[in-house]
Amino acid sequence: MSNVTVERGILVVGAGLAGAVHARQLADAGIRVRVIDRRSHIAGNAFDEVGSHGVRVHKYGPHLFHTANRKVLDYIQRFAEWVPYTHRVKAVLPSGVLVPLPINLDTINIVFGTKLANEEEARRHLTSIAAPIVRPANAAEYLASQIGLQLRDLFFRPYTKKMWSLDLEEMNADVVKRLPLRFDRNDSYFADTDTQVMPRDGYASFVASMLGHPLIEVSLNTSFDHAMLNDFDHCFASLAIDEFYGFCDGELPYRSIRFHHRTEQLPSDSGLWKEQADATFSVINFTDNGPFTRETSWARLPHHIHERTGYTTITKEEPCDYRDNDYERYYPVKTADGVNEEIYTRYKRRSEADSNRITFIGRCGTYRYLDMDQVINQSLMGVQRWLAARGVQSR
């Protein structure tokens, strides 16, 4: 592997997926890298650990890896053993009945009390109730044009309000377009074209393997300081771009999550999980107006029972403004009026003027909601471009 002349090394801010991929690719090119993270652990929001009851829990909510990108799939297999997993979700109706989500043929039949038999009948039914909106201006209009008002208001209106603190009419349609709509009985949460896998030993172990290189130094409990830029040849920063520039062009809003954990005996014998011990789903979404969006039963995920104690952990999620949760930024807020995008664009222009010393990466650096495979792919491509500009071919 060729070496590039980088006398002072590279600083990577953030030991999550974006930072880890950047660090590893740079180290593989023979460049010394220092990775810092303000938290006490690596892996960012994908961090997981085995709790006191022997069950692996994702500290910042369930992370389910899926991708149609062969390059990304080959890359992650360098650092961990991955096991097949098909993610399935149920939504609980006001009646207490659980239905598949995303919406499929069974969901439609249960909600409307119909007996549609196949994909053609399901399509015809939804077409008959869909609103004739040719150019949807927001999430509300887009959903109405696809599934009609009843399904929209049942599955998306309360959820959107508590998740984003916005009405559907205020939301950008791209936010809801991520969820597929099915007309058969396929109940996989993700697209059929995606390979779905989970790291056998968890995401923290996966990221630790990526960072395990003699040219990578990791410093946890270490916050970024602007003066650090003077000590390195370049910085790849998974930082909130608005905070880096002192909020001079305005504050970019984020939603955050408060997690509420409880312990139950296996099989779970209370609440919505009662008599569902052999079911294949691991997440339940709430369609009511209460504060919670979903809950996860961790023992249902593959290889998440580390020690059989007879108990599992179940986690409920309560969305909130990031300022009300110790400034933990999870989800960029995309509104139909594009105001937040305009603010980000101004920061992006500032960062382009600083591109000789710093590159912003990850969800907070680019103000985009990114799936894990997208983070990895963008990181691989970003490092490749940076190295190519300096005459070095990345691995």
Side-chain angles (χ1 to χ4, degrees):
M1 188 65 63
S2 301
N3 289 324
V4 63
T5 302
V6 179
E7 296 179 355
R8 296 176 297 170
I10 301 296
L11 175 66
V12 173
V13 183
L17 284 179
V21 174
H22 276 80
R24 182 63 188 223
Q25 292 301 97
L26 291 165
D28 281 346
I31 299 172
R32 182 169 52 86
V33 183
R34 185 187 180 199
V35 179
I36 65 170
D37 200 297
R38 63 180 178 84
R39 289 171 169 166
S40 61
H41 59 75
I42 61 171
N45 285 358
F47 176 74
D48 52 15
E49 59 186 345
V50 177
S52 59
H53 295 288
V55 177
R56 185 178 302 282
V57 174
H58 302 187
K59 184 173 182 178
Y60 305 97
H63 281 66
L64 301 314
F65 194 93
H66 59 102
T67 186
N69 188 321
R70 186 70 231 183
K71 179 181 178 182
V72 169
L73 195 59
D74 290 342
Y75 184 78
I76 65 173
Q77 289 173 341
R78 288 177 52 193
F79 305 106
E81 178 184 354
W82 297 77
V83 295
Y85 168 68
T86 300
H87 187 49
R88 293 181 174 89
V89 175
K90 297 284 190 180
V92 57
L93 301 181
S95 63
V97 173
L98 296 175
V99 298
L101 195 71
I103 295 168
N104 69 4
L105 177 60
D106 290 326
T107 312
I108 296 168
N109 279 333
I110 292 171
V111 171
F112 292 103
T114 51
K115 296 182 179 179
L116 306 176
N118 52 49
E119 184 174 344
E120 181 182 351
E121 291 182 8
R123 286 182 183 275
R124 191 160 54 241
H125 180 80
L126 287 190
T127 299
S128 71
I129 63 175
I133 302 173
V134 178
R135 294 183 179 84
N138 52 52
E141 292 186 0
Y142 171 78
L143 289 168
S145 72
Q146 299 296 306
I147 60 176
L149 301 183
Q150 184 173 343
L151 290 175
R152 179 198 70 181
D153 292 344
L154 176 60
F155 291 106
F156 292 93
R157 188 170 291 283
Y159 193 95
T160 298
K161 188 66 175 179
K162 52 191 171 184
M163 178 68 209
W164 300 103
S165 192
L166 293 170
D167 291 321
L168 279 170
E169 288 77 8
E170 300 174 277
M171 287 295 301
N172 189 307
D174 289 342
V175 177
V176 295
K177 286 180 180 179
R178 299 178 67 252
L179 198 63
L181 171 64
R182 298 199 173 91
F183 302 95
D184 56 13
R185 288 191 163 86
N186 180 2
D187 62 351
S188 172
Y189 191 79
F190 299 117
D192 297 341
T193 54
D194 285 5
T195 297
Q196 300 180 50
V197 288
M198 295 279 285
R200 182 185 181 94
D201 297 318
Y203 288 102
S205 175
F206 161 57
V207 174
S209 178
M210 231 188 301
L211 293 172
H213 191 288
L215 290 178
I216 297 176
E217 174 192 355
V218 179
S219 301
L220 301 177
N221 300 303
T222 304
S223 296
F224 171 79
D225 186 280
H226 282 255
M228 293 178 176
L229 296 177
N230 299 323
D231 299 328
F232 297 89
D233 291 286
H234 195 76
C235 174
F236 292 94
S238 186
L239 289 168
I241 193 170
D242 57 342
E243 184 175 5
F244 178 87
Y245 287 109
F247 305 104
C248 61
D249 289 314
E251 185 175 2
L252 290 169
Y254 289 83
R255 296 295 284 172
S256 191
I257 303 288
R258 296 191 187 100
F259 299 98
H260 303 264
H261 307 285
R262 72 178 188 271
T263 299
E264 290 192 3
Q265 283 188 307
L266 285 171
S268 300
D269 57 3
S270 67
L272 296 170
W273 302 98
K274 187 176 182 180
E275 299 178 358
Q276 300 286 343
D278 296 325
T280 57
F281 62 93
S282 58
V283 173
I284 294 176
N285 278 26
F286 301 111
T287 60
D288 61 12
N289 292 310
F292 303 108
T293 49
R294 63 180 178 177
E295 70 177 22
T296 301
S297 180
W298 299 105
R300 292 170 177 241
L301 295 174
H303 296 280
H304 276 56
I305 299 179
H306 184 74
E307 179 184 356
R308 295 191 178 277
T309 63
Y311 291 88
T312 185
T313 299
I314 294 177
T315 302
K316 273 188 175 181
E317 299 183 23
E318 179 188 7
C320 61
D321 187 283
Y322 85 105
R323 291 167 295 188
D324 298 326
N325 193 32
D326 197 27
Y327 287 79
E328 287 283 1
R329 297 172 171 90
Y330 292 168
Y331 301 102
V333 179
K334 303 288 186 177
T335 54
D337 59 16
V339 169
N340 298 334
E341 285 295 313
E342 292 174 4
I343 295 174
Y344 168 70
T345 298
R346 292 197 288 271
Y347 285 118
K348 188 172 185 294
R349 292 195 191 103
R350 291 183 182 276
S351 71
E352 289 168 351
D354 286 333
S355 61
N356 63 319
R357 64 173 186 153
I358 189 168
T359 301
F360 289 92
I361 62 175
R363 185 180 297 190
C364 292
T366 61
Y367 201 65
R368 290 182 59 196
Y369 181 90
L370 298 169
D371 288 328
M372 287 185 284
D373 67 322
Q374 293 174 313
V375 171
I376 292 172
N377 186 56
Q378 287 190 5
S379 299
L380 290 172
M381 294 174 62
V383 175
Q384 184 178 32
R385 287 193 298 268
W386 192 86
L387 291 174
R390 289 151 182 81
V392 179
Q393 184 176 1
S394 62
R395 179 173 174 177

